[in-house]
Amino acid sequence: MTYRITVVCTGNICRSPMAEFVLRERFEEAGLSDRVAIDSAGTTSWEEGNPADPRTIDALERHGHTGDYSGHRARVFDRRSFTDVDLVLAADHEHYSVLRRLAAVPDAQSKIRMIRSFDPSGPKGDALAIDDPWYGDDASFDRTYAEVVAAADGIVDFVREQLASRE
């Protein structure tokens, strides 16, 4: 059975697709890409149907990633999405709150985590948010990238444990 992860931000064009692409690579490197499916979504329909922000792609490429990002189209995460996913990763506290409201039952709520909660040396509590780089410059997108990367190995380790517990 495939373990499914959805990364969520506001419009699904900056933070969540960046994390989706980074995590796909990390799971492939870990030899788990055949057992883990990753996608992303937004909490709003503002960008629905749009590709990833070009600055997101530029940041990934500045850091040596060479994937094909052309197929990404922003979509909205809704209440029904919980039935098809094992882990929902929120980029900031607002997304976390929206997702908790959408999660109708405790089982669905237990699937929601902040991305940066998986960064072993990262911040705690209110500082877990990944700032929205939308209004920033290249440095803002690079900071988002660094925060995603810092949590990526922790996410892979967590999912590896989840997969092992299913066996």
Side-chain angles (χ1 to χ4, degrees), residues 59-87:
L60 288 164
E61 290 175 349
R62 272 195 305 279
H63 294 282
H65 300 272
T66 58
D68 177 9
Y69 312 114
S70 63
H72 175 80
R73 292 294 175 264
R75 69 180 186 91
V76 178
F77 190 95
D78 64 26
R79 186 178 309 278
R80 296 179 307 260
S81 302
F82 282 106
T83 61
D84 298 325
V85 70
D86 298 290
L87 179 63

Side-chain angles (χ1 to χ4, degrees), residues 26 117-120 149-161:
R26 289 294 174 92
S117 69
F118 290 96
D119 178 353
V149 166
D153 288 340
I155 295 167
V156 171
D157 291 343
F158 175 81
V159 172
R160 185 181 283 119
E161 291 171 14

